[in-house]
Amino acid sequence: MKPNLIYILTTLILLASCGEKETKQAEKNTTPTVSNNGQTISFPDTESIAFFKTEKVNSNNITAEITAPAKIAATILVSGEGANQNIVLFENTELASSYTQLIQHQINISQIQNINIKQKQIELERTKDLHLHGAATGQDLLNAETELSMEQTNLANEKAALIEHETNLLSAGFSPNVLRKAKAGTAYLICDIPENQISKIKEGNVCNVLFSAFPEEKFTGKIDAVADVVDNATRMVKVRISVNNSSSKLKAGMFANVSFGINEGDFISIGKNSLVTVQGKHYVFQKINDNTFERKEIQAGQQIGEKIIVFSGLDNGNEIAVEGVMQLKGLSFGY
């Protein structure tokens, strides 16, 4: 009995010892190996790496939609008094004043340039002829020259004032020439677009407009122009959009949201959760074989919805981590 008992106990001890060694060995094998300054992360088996979900990337045509708040800045109405120009109703009283004064300066310039100066030039030529034949004094000639010079100075002053008001309108997204030629029944919206999106906004493109006053009705607008000035503080640029207002239901000052459909082109894109950024550089973790991830630096573009455009660093068919990315970041960078 005793030898059998001793044999059994010895066997149990040996089995326990083997099990302990196997457990320690298993624990040891779950530790990933980090090499190449954190660029390569290798796992001992496929079970360890299964925690990290991956997906393959491919280039696709990326489309997006930019939305921006807008306001009706002006509406065009027919003049009830039979004036040569339609009435422009501005939401901003300063713009209304600038436009009114601009028109007045244009009238003054036309009067001075086409009538006053020409008349003074004729009078000066006549006075010169009279002076040449002794029928006019030197003072008469000087007075005629002075009167012409005064009209030329008036013209210069009017043009300077015109430029000031024209600048005010252009800064707000309006072209005076467009306003003069605008058809009655047109509403003009102004919205602000980020500077980095302006290259994707093309004059003549259509956009969708949804007014707060008419939430169930969709309007179609046309991009008329992009302003020539970038706001130094906000880095925004004003965009002017025209909308048909033949029904006169749209009023100056109404709020709206404008949607622009943007085609980014054919690019590889990744989910935003796949990207890690360290010290201004962008990385993803590419699975290069069954047990190994490799840190890849990429050139990332803008975010479109939940996707980020990749300009370089990845090729079609590359497999990158989409879950467990923060754990890989910690292994790769040591935190």
Side-chain angles (χ1 to χ4, degrees):
M1 290 292 292
K2 288 184 178 180
N4 289 339
L5 180 59
I6 292 172
Y7 173 78
I8 293 171
L9 290 174
T10 302
T11 302
L12 290 174
I13 291 170
L14 289 172
L15 289 173
S17 177
C18 290
E20 185 177 339
K21 287 181 180 179
E22 290 176 359
T23 301
K24 289 182 178 179
Q25 186 66 28
E27 291 176 355
K28 181 179 179 181
N29 288 341
T30 60
T31 303
T33 301
V34 181
S35 59
N36 196 16
N37 292 323
Q39 187 171 342
T40 305
I41 306 170
S42 299
F43 292 84
D45 52 48
T46 54
E47 292 182 3
S48 302
I49 204 172
F51 170 78
F52 303 95
K53 305 300 182 184
T54 62
E55 68 178 21
K56 291 184 178 181
V57 297
N58 288 287
S59 58
N60 293 291
N61 189 267
I62 306 297
T63 58
E65 191 174 78
I66 297 176
T67 59
K71 182 189 285 189
I72 297 180
T75 55
I76 311 299
L77 305 177
V78 176
S79 171
E81 300 300 324
N84 292 331
Q85 294 183 347
N86 290 322
I87 297 173
V88 182
L89 289 182
F90 288 93
E91 180 268 336
N92 186 309
T93 55
E94 291 183 4
L95 289 181
S97 176
S98 285
Y99 184 63
T100 301
Q101 293 183 62
L102 180 140
I103 292 175
Q104 185 59 56
H105 287 304
Q106 287 176 330
I107 294 172
N108 294 344
I109 288 171
S110 178
Q111 169 74 27
I112 295 170
Q113 198 166 249
N114 298 322
I115 298 176
N116 297 8
I117 288 181
K118 287 183 177 181
Q119 181 179 344
K120 296 303 178 183
Q121 286 174 335
I122 292 171
E123 290 177 0
L124 176 60
E125 291 301 319
R126 187 177 63 213
T127 304
K128 284 181 178 179
D129 184 63
L130 292 172
H131 181 263
L132 183 64
H133 294 85
T137 65
Q139 185 63 47
D140 293 333
L141 180 60
L142 179 61
N143 290 341
E145 291 174 341
T146 301
E147 289 177 2
L148 175 60
S149 178
M150 289 178 62
E151 290 297 341
Q152 290 172 334
T153 299
N154 290 339
L155 178 62
N157 291 336
E158 289 291 337
K159 286 183 176 181
L162 180 81
I163 290 173
E164 178 185 352
H165 297 300
E166 188 174 18
T167 300
N168 291 339
L169 289 165
L170 288 172
S171 298
F174 285 105
S175 165
N177 289 331
V178 169
L179 291 173
R180 282 194 297 270
K181 298 176 182 178
K183 295 180 180 180
T186 303
Y188 288 110
L189 287 84
I190 299 293
C191 66
D192 292 319
I193 299 296
E195 178 185 4
N196 61 7
Q197 301 291 334
I198 287 302
S199 61
K200 299 158 191 171
I201 304 294
K202 306 297 181 184
E203 293 182 10
N205 285 1
V206 297
C207 54
N208 295 318
V209 184
L210 183 63
F211 289 96
S212 302
F214 309 104
E216 303 301 322
E217 188 173 354
K218 290 185 178 180
F219 293 78
T220 299
K222 186 185 74 172
I223 301 173
D224 284 340
V226 178
D228 295 318
V229 181
V230 178
D231 189 285
N232 191 47
T234 63
R235 310 310 301 172
M236 304 291 273
V237 182
K238 293 188 181 302
V239 174
R240 187 181 74 245
I241 298 157
S242 59
V243 178
N244 186 304
N245 188 32
S246 55
S247 64
S248 299
K249 65 196 305 182
L250 303 178
K251 313 298 181 183
M254 280 185 172
F255 288 103
N257 275 307
V258 182
S259 300
F260 305 92
I262 303 299
N263 190 331
E264 297 290 344
D266 205 36
F267 291 103
I268 287 176
S269 63
I270 61 174
K272 64 179 183 179
N273 294 328
S274 297
L275 184 73
V276 296
T277 302
V278 177
Q279 296 181 351
K281 294 183 177 181
H282 304 297
Y283 302 93
V284 295
F285 292 95
Q286 180 185 345
K287 190 175 183 182
I288 57 175
N289 59 43
D290 289 343
N291 298 333
T292 305
F293 280 102
E294 184 176 78
R295 187 182 73 213
K296 295 286 295 289
E297 183 177 350
I298 65 169
Q299 182 184 357
Q302 69 183 101
Q303 182 173 330
I304 306 295
E306 298 296 311
K307 292 288 188 177
I308 296 173
I309 291 176
V310 177
F311 293 127
S312 64
L314 288 176
D315 296 318
N316 284 327
N318 287 165
E319 190 173 356
I320 65 169
V322 295
E323 291 184 18
V325 176
M326 289 300 102
Q327 287 81 350
L328 290 172
K329 175 185 177 182
L331 291 168
S332 180
F333 292 98
Y335 55 84

